[in-house]
Amino acid sequence: LANCFAAVKGNENKKLMETEGLKDRIGSVGNQFCITSIMGFLLSIPFVMLREGSKLGSFVEALKTVPALRSNMIASALWFYGYNEISTMTLKKTNAVTQSVANTAKRVIVIIGVALVLGESLDFMKLLGCGIGIGGVFLYSIIDNLVKPKEVKEE
């Protein structure tokens, strides 16, 4: 579900980047990312309150009393913001499909890397899933060379 929403967000961001007049008023890609982040946050508040509203008091109390929670939350937010702003800048130079494929490749690489670092076993199903992911990314990168459009002969 998150991947679907990320793909929609990427597609809509790309449209905004190419809309004449609007892209000039927004300014930089960083401003555009900031606006979409704030809008996403505001739109999610009602859903968060419906789902987790009853736990808000205990969360605020934990936030006040557990320094590790506070510092980890801030660090996580900064890394997430930085990663997504870079992702939006990348989108300006590529397209939504390329970014989505690169994101899939990144996830596969992270899965394999973490498994190797932590010494976790890579059983058949994990390797198969990673192989499908890597194969899909590879196929996407070479598909234009494999399926070339037919040249129209002029008569």
Side-chain angles (χ1 to χ4, degrees), residues 84-104:
N84 281 296
E85 185 164 351
I86 289 170
S87 196
T88 304
M89 289 177 187
T90 302
L91 182 62
K92 184 175 184 177
K93 299 191 182 302
T94 62
N95 63 45
V97 175
T98 301
Q99 185 185 22
S100 189
V101 168
N103 203 22
T104 301

Side-chain angles (χ1 to χ4, degrees), residues 141-154:
S141 66
I142 64 167
I143 193 72
D144 289 337
N145 293 331
L146 293 176
V147 184
K148 293 183 180 181
K150 295 180 181 178
E151 294 182 20
V152 179
K153 295 180 183 178
E154 293 183 30

Side-chain angles (χ1 to χ4, degrees), residues 14-88:
K14 188 65 173 181
K15 286 180 191 174
L16 283 175
M17 289 176 193
E18 295 170 348
T19 303
E20 289 301 321
L22 185 59
K23 68 179 180 181
D24 298 329
R25 288 183 284 169
I26 288 177
S28 70
V29 174
N31 289 346
Q32 180 178 340
F33 173 71
C34 185
I35 291 168
T36 56
S37 294
I38 291 169
M39 286 176 54
F41 171 71
L42 294 175
L43 288 170
S44 69
I45 290 174
F47 298 105
V48 170
M49 293 311 290
L50 277 171
R51 179 89 175 143
E52 303 290 338
S54 63
K55 300 174 187 172
L56 187 60
S58 60
F59 171 73
V60 170
E61 188 59 37
L63 199 58
K64 289 179 185 176
T65 58
V66 182
L69 175 64
R70 202 172 30 253
S71 61
N72 287 344
M73 226 172 83
I74 290 169
S76 175
L78 290 173
W79 279 108
F80 184 76
Y81 186 88
Y83 165 77
N84 281 296
E85 185 164 351
I86 289 170
S87 196
T88 304

